[in-house]
Amino acid sequence: MQKIRVELEERSYSIIIGNRVLHDLGEILEEFAFSSKIALISNPTVYQFYGEKISGTLKDAGYDLTEVIIPDGEEYKSLAYTEKIYASLLNAKLDRKSALIALGGGVIGDITGFAASTYMRGIDFVQVPTTLLAQVDSSVGGKTGVNHPLGKNMIGTFWQPRLVWIDTATLATLPRREFLSGLGEVIKYGVIWDENLFAFLETNRDEIVNLDAMSLTHIIKRSCEIKAEVVSKDERESGLRAILNFGHTIGHAIETLTGYKKYLHGEAVAIGMYMEAKLSHQVGLLKNEEGLRIKALIDSYELPSALPDDIEINDLLETMQIDKKTVAGKMHFVLPEKVGEVRISSEITAEDIRTLAL
C-alpha cells in the first residue's frame, strides 16, 4: 500500500494506492464517522465488474446503501443526470452527515463530486477511481463539474474528497483504448514537472502497456505525488495549478467540437499537448527536438497528435474563447520550455493558432 497526502489544512486527505484492495473499503470508511446512509454512484460498465464487491463491503460495514447507476459516457455528465442523483438521494433520505462513493472513471468522479458539493450545501464524498485517467488525474484535487453543450466542465465547484482509494487491479478490466487514453495525462505530468517520469515512460513502454504491476504503481504514484504537490500549493488554480492544464486548452475545444464522442479525454489532451508544444516552438520557447520528443512519446503510446482534418481552425478558436482558461478575451496556454518545465502564457494570438493548421 502506498500513501500520499494532499495537504490542505482542514481539507487534507489521503490517496491510498494498492492492489486488490476494494474489499477493504468498508472497514476503512468507519474511521470517518459518516452517517449510516450513504450512496454508491457508478455506471453499468463498472458496476458489472466491481459493484457487488463494493456494495458488499459497504453493507458488511453496516451502511444503509443506496445505489445510483447512470449511463456510461461523457455526454451524461450533465445537469440533467445530476438532478437524477439528487432525486435518489432525497428519496433515500440521505442527510448532511452522509457520503457519496464515486466508483468509476472521471465522468463518475466529476458528477458525484459536483452532486456532493451541492446536496444540502455540501456533503462528503470518496473517490474510488477505476480508470487510469481517473487514478492519476481527475480523482485528485477537488475539481468537480458537469458539461454544457457550449463547453466542457463549465459548471462546477472545488470540493475535495475525504479519501481517494485506488486499486490498480481494476486496470485489468479497462479496455486498451481507455488505458492508453489515461497515459495521455501521465505524459502531461512528465512534460510539466518531471523529466525523470517522462524518461521512465520512454524506456518502460512495453512493461506499462502490458500492465506490469510495479511499473503501473510507479507511474500512478508519481503522477499523484505531482498533482498533490501542485494542488497543496494552489488549491483553486490562482497560479501554479494552471500548469495542470497543459494540452487542455486545445484538447477541451476538440472534445466540445466533436460532441465528446470522437475522442476520449486523454486522446484530445494528447493532440492538445503536441499542438501546444508546436505553439511553444513557434514563439521561440521550445527547441524543435524537444517538441519532437514529446510527439514521439505520444505516438509510442498509440495516441493521436495531429489536429483533426474535420475541425475548422476558426471553430477551434471560437470554442477556446468560451473556455474557463480565457480571461478578458485572452487565451491562456501552458507552453513547455523543455521536458519537465513549462510556463503559462497569455500572449498567444489567433494568428499563432491559425499557423498550426498550415
Side-chain angles (χ1 to χ4, degrees):
M1 300 279 281
Q2 303 284 333
K3 182 177 180 179
I4 300 161
R5 191 72 177 164
V6 182
E7 297 292 350
L8 292 168
E9 298 179 345
E10 72 277 3
R11 297 177 307 286
S12 299
Y13 57 94
S14 295
I15 305 164
I16 306 296
I17 305 169
N19 187 267
R20 304 188 186 282
V21 294
L22 289 182
H23 62 278
D24 296 323
L25 183 62
E27 181 180 351
I28 295 297
L29 294 187
E30 293 178 13
E31 67 185 66
F32 291 94
F34 300 139
S35 75
S36 62
K37 289 182 177 291
I38 64 175
L40 175 67
I41 318 295
S42 192
N43 66 44
T45 304
V46 174
Y47 190 89
Q48 70 174 330
F49 290 115
Y50 307 112
E52 289 187 7
K53 182 175 290 187
I54 289 288
S55 295
T57 185
L58 295 175
K59 290 174 181 176
D60 288 346
Y63 291 107
D64 179 3
L65 181 66
T66 296
E67 297 180 352
V68 185
I69 307 301
I70 65 174
D72 188 7
E74 189 78 34
E75 62 266 40
Y76 302 108
K77 195 175 82 174
S78 66
L79 285 172
Y81 277 92
T82 306
E83 289 187 7
K84 293 180 185 294
I85 293 174
Y86 293 147
S88 296
L89 305 185
L90 289 166
N91 285 328
K93 297 182 172 55
L94 267 72
D95 57 53
R96 298 182 78 173
K97 293 294 185 180
S98 294
L100 307 186
I101 313 298
L103 175 68
V107 168
I108 290 296
D110 283 0
I111 196 171
T112 300
F114 181 67
S117 73
T118 48
Y119 181 75
M120 293 190 174
R121 296 192 177 93
I123 64 173
D124 290 326
F125 84 113
V126 172
Q127 291 271 21
V128 187
T130 59
T131 67
L132 181 61
L133 184 72
Q135 290 174 357
V136 301
D137 188 60
S138 59
S139 68
V140 179
K143 278 189 178 181
T144 80
V146 295
N147 298 328
H148 187 278
L150 293 179
K152 183 181 170 93
N153 293 332
M154 294 303 291
I155 303 163
T157 60
F158 286 95
W159 193 251
Q160 300 294 341
R162 292 296 303 280
L163 172 71
V164 180
W165 191 257
I166 296 174
D167 188 340
T168 59
T170 62
L171 299 180
T173 57
L174 194 64
R176 179 180 172 84
R177 183 184 174 193
E178 292 271 1
F179 176 74
L180 294 174
S181 171
L183 287 166
E185 290 283 0
V186 181
I187 293 170
K188 177 193 76 176
Y189 289 115
V191 176
I192 68 170
W193 197 266
D194 188 353
E195 195 274 340
N196 288 331
L197 173 60
F198 194 96
F200 185 88
L201 292 167
E202 288 177 316
T203 57
N204 293 272
R205 187 259 180 202
D206 290 345
E207 290 85 351
I208 290 168
V209 298
N210 289 317
L211 306 184
D212 173 70
M214 290 185 64
S215 297
L216 287 179
T217 298
H218 175 73
I219 64 172
I220 292 169
K221 181 174 184 283
R222 187 65 191 122
S223 296
C224 288
E225 286 173 340
I226 293 167
K227 187 159 190 182
E229 184 172 354
V230 171
V231 169
S232 295
K233 292 177 179 177
D234 179 19
E235 181 181 4
R236 292 181 172 262
E237 203 171 297
S238 58
L240 176 66
R241 183 169 178 168
I243 69 172
L244 297 172
N245 291 324
F246 174 55
H248 288 62
T249 302
I250 291 175
H252 278 176
I254 290 171
E255 287 181 281
T256 299
L257 288 169
T258 55
Y260 310 113
K261 294 179 180 179
K262 183 174 181 179
Y263 295 102
L264 298 176
H265 177 67
E267 293 171 340
V269 167
I271 297 170
M273 285 193 293
Y274 181 52
M275 292 298 103
E276 291 169 29
K278 287 180 68 176
L279 276 175
S280 189
H281 176 61
Q282 280 180 199
V283 299
L285 294 177
L286 183 70
K287 292 181 179 179
N288 187 53
E289 55 266 32
E290 289 282 276
L292 293 176
R293 187 183 177 195
I294 293 169
K295 183 180 188 300
L297 188 60
I298 291 170
D299 292 346
S300 75
Y301 285 101
E302 302 168 40
L303 292 166
S305 57
L307 199 63
D309 292 335
D310 57 350
I311 289 183
E312 294 291 336
I313 200 69
N314 287 330
D315 292 338
L316 189 72
L317 276 166
E318 183 178 348
T319 303
M320 286 192 291
Q321 288 291 337
I322 302 172
D323 193 274
K324 301 184 299 300
K325 293 176 284 297
T326 295
V327 180
K330 285 194 171 185
M331 295 177 288
H332 286 65
F333 288 88
V334 180
L335 302 179
E337 297 181 297
K338 62 180 181 179
V339 171
E341 189 174 315
V342 294
R343 74 164 62 176
I344 300 167
S345 173
S346 60
E347 303 304 316
I348 296 298
T349 67
E351 191 56 40
D352 291 328
I353 302 295
R354 290 190 180 96
T355 304
L356 287 174
L358 299 178

